[in-house]
RNA sequence: GGCAGCGUAGCUCAGGUGGUUAGAGCGAAGGUCUCAUAAUCCUUAGGUCCCGAGUUCGAGUCUCGGCGCUGCUACCA
């Protein structure tokens, strides 16, 4: 079975993680859990991107050294991932000692290929922004649009450039040959349009200090993106191996999918494959750009003060609730909205009322009518479940988490409907024991499969379902077939699976 | 400005190649059952499918023109 490596972005550590960092990490974790469940060798990579001037500034403002600052931020990320039940295999840091050898080796390859050359970086530079401005965006008298009192100065620096222009055709060919290289479609269109208008070489070095020295010129440091993207490769190193490119590439390369935000699409869908082509390496199979989150219909931002604090959200509602909401309620790839009211409604409707209560009511009846033992087999929901399993697998493979949830909920609804239609309590009183057992078996077995299907999204909820079915919560996709519950086994007394969230007014 | 996409029930959205009474989930209202976490199940929502024109026997579904919204239009990540 081919190995699968998948990545989140390597988050920039200028600040603690926000919901925008948690979102793709949740998705990546779900995907990784799905692959592991199917028995695929899986490597889930996340980490942090720690170089660059912004970090240096953020650290200075807080009276820290850049490294101290990075260390602190990284702890913040790791603790959030723990709260959210994120099971990553590798946490790569671009300040790691093992990263630079990889970067150097990669740089050398690209350099020998003739794709790195010194050139002039010219333009109007705003000292306040610390960046070059496009001539057309300047105000009267070469004033900066963001700092209207600052006159931009003409700068003419010698930087090293990457010969991106050389790869225009190859990239266009890539997008043609591999139409799903960039997902979703709308993002692909943007990238194709961007590349079509012509690619310019871009500078990959800066005169700043917080970064790796340019291997052929120690007076400059590498542009953060150059070493950040290579973090994906460093992450593939086995802990015991020496940091060489050959070691990094031997097991997990090429990467199956990069899950990223649409804001960094260009770096992953244009620069990154071009860099890899230059180094003579295979390309990732897919770059998936997810959408952005809004809160109550508004863009989130520190200035508006309407950010979602993922720490607070998880602490209040739990990891499963947060994971479920964002994967179920927002189509992966599109923008989506968070509102606390919607959040509570969805969780109550789906997890507490439909799913939780189904488990509770059916287990309750098993206690009363079947002596707390798994009843004899029934097959009422077997067809529905077979469809669900098929759909769920297809959906996970294309990162359509919303579809996964919908397929699962359809079965849950059928389970509730089956009970209402057949009314086991009446059958029991009428002495139709065999029929009662078949119905209840069908529902419990469906719930076993529901737990399995939902495991990548709500791991601890699924574990709770399985424990209430007296099963070891070890989820394997080979068990996604009807009939796994063995009649006659003892069942515990039902416990509420997911407590309703009561809104306090 | 250019390019791309979108605008369908209160909310979030489905609606290949045009064809009977436009669908789902959530929310809301009414009802039902009693196994259950006052959960479930059933029914209802009478929606200008953004507007206008056109093509057609027939358009939410194609064409054109408006209006509105979003994204991209390169070196902060």
């Amino acid at each position: 079975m081919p190995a699968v490596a998948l990545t989140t972005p390597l988050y920039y550590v200028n600040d603690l993680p926000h919901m925008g960092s948690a979102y793709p990490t949740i998705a990546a974790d779900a995907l990784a859990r799905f692959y592991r469940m199917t028995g695929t060798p899986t490597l889930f990579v996340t980490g942090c991107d720690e170089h660059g001037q912004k970090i240096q500034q953020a650290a200075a403002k807080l009276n820290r050294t850049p490294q101290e600052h990075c260390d602190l931020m990284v702890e913040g990320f790791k603790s959030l991932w723990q709260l959210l039940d994120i099971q990553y295999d590798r946490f790569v840091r671009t300040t790691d000692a093992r990263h630079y050898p990889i970067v150097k080796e990669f740089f050398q390859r690209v350099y020998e290929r003739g794709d790195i050359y010194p050139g002039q970086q010219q333009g109007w530079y705003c000292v306040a922004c610390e960046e070059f401005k496009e001539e057309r965006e300047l105000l009267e008298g070469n004033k900066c649009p963001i700092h209207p009192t600052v006159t931009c100065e003409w700068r003419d620096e010698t930087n090293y450039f990457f010969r991106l222009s050389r790869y225009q055709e190859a990239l266009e060919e890539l997008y043609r040959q591999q139409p799903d290289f960039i997902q979703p479609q709308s993002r692909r269109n943007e990238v194709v349009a961007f590349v079509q208008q012509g690619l310019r070489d871009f500078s990959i070095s800066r005169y700043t200090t917080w970064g790796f020295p340019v291997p052929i010129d120690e007076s400059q440091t590498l542009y953060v993106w150059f070493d950040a993207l290579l973090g994906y490769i460093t992450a593939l190193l086995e802990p015991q191996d020496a940091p060489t490119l050959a070691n990094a590439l031997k097991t997990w390369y090429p990467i199956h999918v990069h899950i990223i935000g649409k804001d960094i699409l260009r770096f992953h869908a244009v620069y990154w494959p071009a860099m890899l082509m230059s180094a003579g390496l295979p390309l990732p199979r897919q770059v998936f750009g997810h959408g952005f989150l809004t809160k109550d219909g508004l863009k989130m931002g520190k200035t508006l003060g309407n950010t979602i604090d993922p720490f607070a959200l998880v602490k209040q509602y739990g990891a499963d609730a947060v994971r479920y909401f964002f994967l179920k309620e927002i189509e992966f790839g599109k923008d989506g909205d968070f509102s606390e009211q919607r959040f509570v409604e969805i969780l109550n409707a789906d997890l507490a009322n439909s799913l939780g209560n189904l488990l509770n009511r059916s287990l309750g009846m098993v206690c009363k009518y079947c002596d707390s033992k798994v009843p004899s087999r029934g097959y009422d929901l077997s067809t529905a479940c077979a469809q669900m399993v098929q759909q769920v697998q297809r959906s996970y493979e294309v990162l359509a988490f919303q579809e996964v949830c919908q397929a699962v909920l359809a079965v849950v609804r059928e389970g509730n409907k089956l009970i209402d239609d057949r009314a086991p309590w009446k059958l029991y009183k009428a002495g139709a024991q065999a029929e009662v057992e078949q119905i209840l078996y069908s529902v419990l077995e469906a719930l076993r499969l529901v737990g399995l299907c939902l495991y990548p999204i709500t791991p601890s909820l699924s574990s709770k379902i399985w424990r209430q079915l007296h099963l070891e919560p070890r989820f394997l996709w080979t068990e996604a077939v009807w009939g796994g519950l063995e009649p006659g086994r003892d069942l515990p007394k039902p416990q509420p699976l997911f407590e309703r969230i009561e809104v306090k007014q």
Side-chain angles (χ1 to χ4, degrees):
Chain A
M1 192 166 291
V4 162
L6 55 107
T7 74
T8 69
L10 303 186
Y11 301 107
Y12 206 55
V13 290
N14 53 345
D15 207 345
L16 287 169
H18 47 271
M19 202 56 225
S21 337
Y23 179 48
T25 310
I26 290 169
D29 186 60
L31 189 62
R33 283 174 188 266
F34 170 72
Y35 278 123
R36 288 190 203 111
M37 190 161 78
T38 63
T40 308
T42 304
L43 191 81
F44 171 17
V45 170
T46 188
C48 287
D49 169 16
E50 309 181 14
H51 285 135
Q53 202 166 11
K54 282 259 156 95
I55 304 286
Q56 204 172 0
Q57 286 167 348
K61 211 182 248 178
L62 295 161
N63 255 322
R64 299 169 181 156
T65 68
Q67 191 64 60
E68 282 168 357
H69 177 76
C70 292
D71 291 349
L72 279 167
M73 293 302 110
V74 162
E75 284 317 303
F77 278 87
K78 285 184 172 173
S79 69
L80 181 59
W81 300 159
Q82 189 170 4
L83 284 173
L84 277 168
D85 258 339
I86 305 298
Q87 275 181 357
Y88 53 82
D89 297 297
R90 297 288 157 75
F91 191 105
V92 66
R93 301 183 55 179
T94 57
T95 56
D96 191 292
R98 289 157 65 80
H99 186 44
Y100 192 42
I102 298 288
V103 172
K104 258 164 114 169
E105 202 179 332
F106 188 94
F107 183 97
Q108 196 60 31
R109 281 200 187 204
V110 175
Y111 182 68
E112 280 166 14
R113 181 67 175 260
D115 285 335
I116 291 172
Y117 65 93
Q120 295 302 111
Q121 170 81 57
Q122 298 178 324
W124 295 99
Y125 193 85
C126 170
V127 185
C129 295
E130 294 281 10
E131 69 184 55
F132 286 95
K133 297 288 167 186
E134 287 286 321
E135 185 137 18
R136 62 157 194 268
E137 58 180 330
L138 294 180
L139 306 176
E140 290 272 320
N142 296 328
K143 303 282 190 194
C144 169
I146 299 169
H147 302 94
T149 56
V150 178
T151 305
C152 294
E153 52 192 70
W154 181 256
R155 282 209 186 170
D156 196 345
E157 295 185 346
T158 301
N159 282 163
Y160 291 92
F161 280 72
F162 172 68
R163 217 179 284 282
L164 181 66
S165 57
R166 188 174 179 180
Y167 295 93
Q168 167 146 3
E169 267 181 45
L171 287 169
E172 286 174 339
E173 184 62 16
L174 164 68
Y175 307 143
R176 267 196 301 276
Q177 294 294 312
Q178 241 171 283
D180 64 345
F181 176 70
I182 302 161
Q183 284 291 313
Q185 270 295 317
S186 52
R187 296 292 152 208
R188 175 178 180 275
N189 295 345
E190 283 176 11
V191 171
V192 169
F194 172 77
V195 172
Q196 251 163 11
Q197 74 177 21
L199 292 175
R200 302 204 291 267
D201 298 344
F202 68 99
S203 72
I204 55 165
S205 68
R206 295 292 135 95
Y207 285 99
T208 56
T209 54
W210 185 238
F212 287 136
V214 174
I216 54 170
D217 179 351
E218 307 237 323
S219 70
Q220 297 191 48
T221 56
L222 281 170
Y223 176 44
V224 270
W225 267 108
F226 196 85
D227 88 77
L229 289 164
L230 289 167
Y232 294 131
I233 289 182
T234 299
L236 307 180
L237 280 169
E238 300 299 326
Q240 70 277 10
D241 282 347
T244 66
L245 214 43
N247 280 338
L249 301 175
K250 70 183 178 188
T251 309
W252 298 103
Y253 199 82
I255 284 161
H256 187 70
V257 58
H258 291 296
I259 294 171
I260 56 158
K262 60 185 185 181
D263 53 332
I264 54 176
L265 184 61
R266 180 183 309 144
F267 296 95
H268 289 79
V270 182
Y271 297 4
W272 180 225
M275 285 163 58
L276 291 169
M277 287 174 188
S278 172
L281 300 180
L283 308 181
R285 207 202 96 235
Q286 187 169 80
V287 174
F288 201 115
H290 70 256
F292 274 2
L293 304 174
T294 55
K295 186 179 181 198
D296 302 314
L298 299 171
K299 271 187 185 170
M300 287 189 282
K302 279 173 199 157
T303 44
L304 273 172
N306 66 338
T307 54
I308 303 169
D309 177 2
F311 291 93
L313 203 60
V314 188
K315 281 175 184 158
Q316 186 170 359
Y317 298 107
D320 285 320
V322 174
R323 296 169 62 108
Y324 182 81
F325 177 82
F326 285 102
L327 294 183
K328 149 81 197 306
E329 211 26 37
I330 298 165
E331 184 180 331
F332 200 61
K334 286 196 176 173
D335 290 350
D337 189 55
F338 171 89
S339 83
E340 190 133 4
Q341 185 188 337
R342 184 77 174 165
F343 182 85
V344 170
E345 279 173 6
I346 290 293
L347 295 170
N348 279 345
D350 294 356
L351 299 187
N353 297 350
S354 298
L355 173 56
N357 188 50
L358 178 62
L359 178 67
N360 206 239
R361 68 194 299 212
S362 45
L363 270 181
M365 284 188 274
V366 167
C367 279
K368 288 183 185 167
Y369 308 149
C370 308
D371 193 25
S372 291
K373 292 189 191 318
V374 175
S376 52
R377 291 183 198 278
Y379 299 89
D380 289 279
L381 298 167
S382 61
T383 310
C385 282
Q387 280 170 11
M388 166 181 75
V389 164
Q390 237 184 9
Q391 177 68 53
V392 162
Q393 172 161 359
R394 275 200 304 267
S395 298
Y396 274 126
E397 280 166 357
V398 294
L399 287 75
F401 307 107
Q402 196 184 35
E403 283 178 15
V404 169
C405 296
Q406 275 158 4
V408 167
L409 282 173
V411 163
V412 168
R413 267 182 232 114
E414 284 205 47
N416 275 316
K417 192 165 158 51
L418 177 70
I419 293 179
D420 274 47
D421 288 350
R422 306 285 288 279
W425 51 93
K426 283 186 188 165
L427 293 169
Y428 177 73
K429 283 172 195 157
Q433 181 69 20
E435 209 177 327
V436 169
E437 298 212 4
Q438 285 165 18
I439 293 164
L440 292 178
Y441 182 92
S442 297
V443 175
L444 292 184
E445 173 60 13
L447 283 165
R448 185 184 70 86
L449 293 167
V450 161
L452 187 69
C453 288
L454 229 37
Y455 164 75
I457 295 172
T458 55
S460 62
L461 192 83
S462 289
S463 300
K464 279 189 200 162
I465 293 173
W466 274 40
R467 283 202 202 91
Q468 292 210 40
L469 296 173
H470 204 165
L471 296 166
E472 267 299 299
R474 278 198 304 267
F475 298 94
L476 296 170
W477 199 242
T478 49
E479 294 186 31
V481 284
W482 188 264
L485 273 182
E486 286 173 34
R489 296 196 55 185
D490 288 329
L491 288 172
K493 282 219 162 54
Q495 299 288 325
L497 178 67
F498 185 94
E499 299 277 4
R500 267 183 75 82
I501 301 164
E502 300 299 337
V503 238
K504 34 192 184 276
Q505 273 295 359

